[in-house]
Amino acid sequence: AQKVTQAQTEISVVEKEDVTLDCVYETRDTTYYLFWYKQPPSGELVFLIRRNSFDEQNEISGRYSWNFQKSTSSFNFTITASQVVDSAVYFCARIISSGSARQLTFGSGTQLTVLP
Amino acid sequence: NAGVTQTPKFRVLKTGQSMTLLCAQDMNHEYMYWYRQDPGMGLRLIHYSVGEGTTAKGEVPDGYNVSRLKKQNFLLGLESAAPSQTSVYFCASSALAGPSSYEQYFGPGTRLTVT
């Protein structure tokens, strides 16, 4: 199976620090989609971003930014000036589709704790 | 517009009992999915459906059955529950086509404990 690896199991930072969450994926496909989801302590899964494999533009949304590099198969997520409300588990995921079939793989998640 | 809803929110079963989890979505999405989430393992896909009357296996389908009799509903069944099926179950849906077709919308989850 082609994996999605989030090597950082837990990260702890102090409020206002910047933090980067790493995501590395394996794929033999040229077309795929990458995602980041946030799971706060309340348990729901919140969609953050989608990136297509043919679009390597980095993206910034407020304090969040994403760095997609096909050459290293990485899709890293940076939170600038972290806040306590950013404390959550963050999941990276990849979807490959072939016709109507879909192969979805999630990373094991990174628990981010932002201390006041 | 409720999005994706799941019933029930919590359930405790004894080994060997059966139950059905219900997922409903009101976004007219073609794709629906069932995942399980276990500590340290992220989400793993159990089954998914491309549309009414269709289902397909995901990464961990054993011990589960699914049905999609109506487009808006996707049922997950456990015929004979085992302690290894203790988990949090998430349902999700996504559109078939369009710019956001791969974005999944998740339900709130069902916490199942099998004793």
Side-chain angles (χ1 to χ4, degrees), chain B residues 47-81:
Chain B
H47 287 280
Y48 68 99
S49 168
V50 183
E52 188 177 322
T54 73
T55 63
K57 293 180 180 180
E59 182 185 353
V60 288
D62 294 341
Y64 304 95
N65 57 76
V66 288
S67 64
R68 184 100 178 264
L69 299 179
K70 293 183 179 180
K71 185 176 183 179
Q72 64 268 33
N73 296 337
F74 195 30
L75 305 179
L76 177 70
L78 286 73
E79 290 187 351
S80 179

Side-chain angles (χ1 to χ4, degrees), chain A residues 35 39 50 97 100 102 104, chain B residues 31 35 37 48 99 102 104:
Chain A
F35 300 81
Q39 187 175 43
R50 178 190 70 174
S97 81
S100 64
R102 289 195 173 171
L104 298 95
Chain B
Y31 278 91
Y35 292 90
Q37 183 179 24
Y48 68 99
Y102 291 92
Q104 295 179 63

Side-chain angles (χ1 to χ4, degrees), chain A residues 27-33 52-54 70 95-97, chain B residues 102:
Chain A
T27 187
R28 294 181 287 273
D29 300 83
T30 55
T31 302
Y32 49 89
Y33 302 83
N52 307 329
S53 58
F54 42 88
K70 288 179 73 171
I95 292 178
I96 300 167
S97 81
Chain B
Y102 291 92

Side-chain angles (χ1 to χ4, degrees), chain A residues 1 33 35 37 39 42-47 49-50 52 89 91 95-97 99-109, chain B residues 31 33 35 37 40-45 48 50 57 59 90 94-108:
Chain A
Y33 302 83
F35 300 81
Y37 285 88
Q39 187 175 43
S42 53
E44 75 271 23
L45 283 148
V46 179
F47 165 80
I49 189 172
R50 178 190 70 174
N52 307 329
V89 180
F91 291 98
I95 292 178
I96 300 167
S97 81
S100 64
R102 289 195 173 171
Q103 186 185 120
L104 298 95
T105 307
F106 277 74
S108 56
Chain B
Y31 278 91
Y33 313 81
Y35 292 90
Q37 183 179 24
M41 300 189 72
L43 279 79
R44 292 182 293 168
L45 183 64
Y48 68 99
V50 183
K57 293 180 180 180
E59 182 185 353
F90 285 96
S94 66
L96 177 65
S100 60
S101 60
Y102 291 92
E103 293 170 18
Q104 295 179 63
Y105 295 81
F106 284 86

Side-chain angles (χ1 to χ4, degrees), chain A residues 50-65:
Chain A
R50 178 190 70 174
R51 177 61 69 224
N52 307 329
S53 58
F54 42 88
D55 179 4
E56 283 195 76
Q57 274 191 331
N58 292 325
E59 183 157 337
I60 298 174
S61 177
R63 296 184 297 107
Y64 295 170
S65 62

